[in-house]
Amino acid sequence: METAFTKLVGVEHPIVQTGMGWVAGPRLVSAAANAGALGILASATMTTEHLRSAVREVRSRVPRGTPFGVNLRADAGDAPERVRLIIEEGVRVASFALAPSQELIGRLKNAGVVVIPSIGARRHAEKVAAWGADAVIVQGGEGGGHTGDVATTVLLPQVVDAVDIPVVAAGGFGDGRGLVAALAYGAAGIAMGTRFLLTSDSTVPDAVKAAYLKATVRDVTVTTAVDGLPHRMLRTELVDSLERAGRTRALVRAVRHAAGLRRLSGLSWPQMVRDGLAMKHGKDLSWSQVLLAANTPMLLKASMVEGRTDLGVMASGQIAGVIDDLPSCAELVSRVMAEAQSVLDRLHGPDGPYGPLGPGVPDGPHVPDALPPPG
């Protein structure tokens, strides 16, 4: 299925495996890439040397020339150093969790790197498009992790109408029906996080995967108790206790976790302070909220790496409530594409609601920038 997105990055299918901290490592990324999707490494919890090693490991696991990406924190103090690493290593795609500066976009584009920021509002998409971003991933409120409160079905068409670059839809996607729906809205592909987390190629411990599979849609909540910002995750006893905890206990815990994050990331205290200033800039955050943000990587590590569902938090999209299996990445991508083609065939078949495809409309798997009109 060819879209503006697949042509831009050179992948076979219009599917992105998102850069999830502690989850999107070399094994998952290479499996997604080998399945024909765009795999994205999560680098925020890696030192620069670890990142370089991870990039090279992915490259060793995929055929020569297979595209994949690296996700960066645009507000990190060492973002320019990581951008330089991406350029040096010949990574095809740079993904950003926050809007990167015009300068960073320019450096990457001058080196031939495709720049794809993730955004959660129309105005952010307009800004990065004006600065030269090649595409955007737009995440609606159904998505996991830090999220907004506007549903994908409302946000996506706003962004598609606002920019003239490929738009990839995220938040609430997990099958071929979702892919066709996103294409119908004008998107050029879909991005999935939780669905790729719940595959056999994911290194997330079995106990954690079991907790996700057990969850219903009502077990996925949004809370500000972890870091002061809206964060979608599985509701657990730990989340309940964090919401009951007082400010003093929360700040003590945040300081302890900030020290742990500093050791893991290789950042110095001055660098972490600068990152905190960058995070605070342009946002109505108190210093206590900035400090609490240090909780997130460590609490995610406790679950996603150590398997401690009692001590860690489990970021999750609402889609977790309807997932009940653990396919491989290859099986997942193949299934999504087969379902999408089946939906398209049913829509346009002689017994479908729209009848057969009209004159001049391709009848094969090729899909342009959006679905063709019915009739």
Side-chain angles (χ1 to χ4, degrees):
M1 182 178 288
E2 186 178 75
T3 70
F5 174 74
T6 63
K7 289 186 284 187
L8 174 67
V9 300
V11 292
E12 183 179 358
H13 304 301
I15 297 174
V16 177
Q17 165 258 302
T18 60
M20 300 164 281
W22 305 116
V23 176
R27 191 172 95 178
L28 180 63
V29 172
S30 58
N34 284 326
L38 179 68
I40 298 181
L41 273 170
S43 76
T45 53
M46 299 179 184
T47 65
T48 53
E49 288 309 308
H50 184 193
L51 174 58
R52 191 181 297 275
S53 175
V55 167
R56 293 178 178 179
E57 182 178 346
V58 172
R59 186 171 291 118
S60 73
R61 288 170 171 259
V62 300
R64 183 179 180 85
T66 301
F68 64 93
V70 170
N71 181 259
L72 306 171
R73 271 187 55 195
D75 60 347
D78 62 351
E81 181 181 353
R82 291 171 184 259
V83 164
R84 183 169 63 251
L85 185 154
I86 285 175
I87 294 171
E88 291 172 351
E89 293 294 328
V91 175
R92 175 64 175 157
V93 175
S95 157
F96 288 90
L98 296 170
S101 68
Q102 189 171 7
E103 178 186 0
L104 286 183
I105 293 176
R107 284 184 57 192
L108 288 161
K109 286 177 66 68
N110 287 340
V113 181
V114 177
V115 180
I116 308 180
S118 294
I119 56 92
R122 172 177 176 161
R123 66 182 185 278
H124 297 155
E126 292 172 330
K127 178 172 69 174
V128 297
W131 286 352
D134 297 291
V136 290
I137 295 175
V138 51
Q139 178 177 304
E142 300 93 325
H146 291 113
T147 191
D149 56 4
V150 180
T152 304
T153 51
V154 176
L155 180 60
L156 176 58
Q158 289 184 48
V159 175
V160 168
D161 290 344
V163 299
D164 59 1
I165 57 177
V167 175
V168 176
F173 296 100
D175 59 21
R177 294 174 297 178
L179 173 56
V180 174
L183 294 172
Y185 273 111
I190 57 172
M192 302 187 296
T194 305
R195 179 64 274 197
F196 275 104
L197 183 156
L198 293 174
T199 61
S200 60
D201 294 304
S202 164
T203 58
V204 170
D206 290 343
V208 176
K209 290 180 181 178
Y212 277 96
L213 293 177
K214 183 180 178 181
T216 69
V217 291
R218 294 184 178 276
D219 295 321
V220 185
T221 188
V222 175
T223 182
T224 60
V226 175
D227 56 14
L229 298 171
H231 201 145
R232 187 175 289 284
M233 60 184 63
L234 295 188
R235 176 163 289 285
T236 62
E237 290 184 9
L238 174 63
V239 172
D240 290 338
S241 69
L242 291 176
E243 291 180 340
R244 293 192 301 267
R247 181 178 293 263
T248 300
R249 284 178 58 195
L251 288 177
V252 170
R253 184 185 70 243
V255 171
R256 184 173 68 251
H257 286 158
L261 176 62
R262 184 183 69 84
R263 290 192 299 270
L264 284 170
S265 65
L267 295 174
S268 66
W269 282 110
Q271 286 175 312
M272 292 186 69
V273 170
R274 286 196 297 271
D275 285 356
L277 287 169
M279 184 183 297
K280 186 177 171 64
H281 179 69
K283 302 181 180 70
D284 186 22
L285 300 179
S286 67
W287 276 109
S288 61
Q289 286 176 312
V290 172
L291 185 57
L292 283 168
N295 283 328
T296 305
M298 303 306 294
L299 291 176
L300 286 169
K301 179 175 183 287
S303 56
M304 301 305 167
V305 177
E306 300 165 5
R308 296 297 303 271
T309 57
D310 56 332
L311 295 180
V313 299
M314 292 171 280
S316 176
Q318 283 185 307
I319 196 71
V322 296
I323 295 174
D324 59 7
D325 64 349
L326 298 170
S328 68
C329 286
E331 292 167 341
L332 172 62
V333 172
S334 177
R335 178 198 303 174
V336 169
M337 297 311 301
E339 287 172 347
Q341 188 61 60
S342 176
V343 170
L344 290 171
D345 291 343
R346 186 168 66 252
L347 286 173
H348 295 294
D351 299 323
Y354 298 118
L357 292 171
V361 177
D363 59 1
H366 173 89
V367 176
D369 296 351
L371 285 176

